[in-house]
Amino acid sequence: MAIRVFFLLTGFGFSVSGGISLVAYLNVFAAGMGYLDYFQFISSRPECYLLPAGMAIVALSIFLPGRIEDD
């Protein structure tokens, strides 16, 4: 159980960090770039990959079956 909570919180932290990076990089629109330029820019930034990685870790920590305990 403690392992699941650890991975849940780690995944949540990664997701928050990646999401903040994506929102912060929205400033490229103020520089006159378009949507395609934005997607090309964030695909080249490694910290933006933390959002999907964190979401995957959270989903795995919630939905993977745990040990089946026999009573």
Side-chain angles (χ1 to χ4, degrees), residues 19-53:
I20 288 173
S21 296
L22 287 175
V23 171
Y25 287 137
L26 285 173
N27 287 325
V28 300
F29 289 123
M33 297 182 174
Y35 290 110
L36 184 61
D37 296 325
Y38 174 71
F39 289 120
Q40 288 175 344
F41 179 74
I42 64 170
S43 66
S44 67
R45 308 298 302 175
E47 63 270 12
C48 294
Y49 290 115
L50 289 175
L51 178 66

Side-chain angles (χ1 to χ4, degrees), residues 3-5 7 9 12 17-18 23 28-30 32-33 39 41 45 48 50-52 54 56 61 64 68 70-71:
I3 302 289
R4 283 183 180 251
V5 172
F7 281 113
L9 293 176
F12 180 74
S17 178
V23 171
V28 300
F29 289 123
M33 297 182 174
F39 289 120
F41 179 74
R45 308 298 302 175
C48 294
L50 289 175
L51 178 66
S61 71
L64 275 183
I68 298 175
D70 294 331
D71 289 330

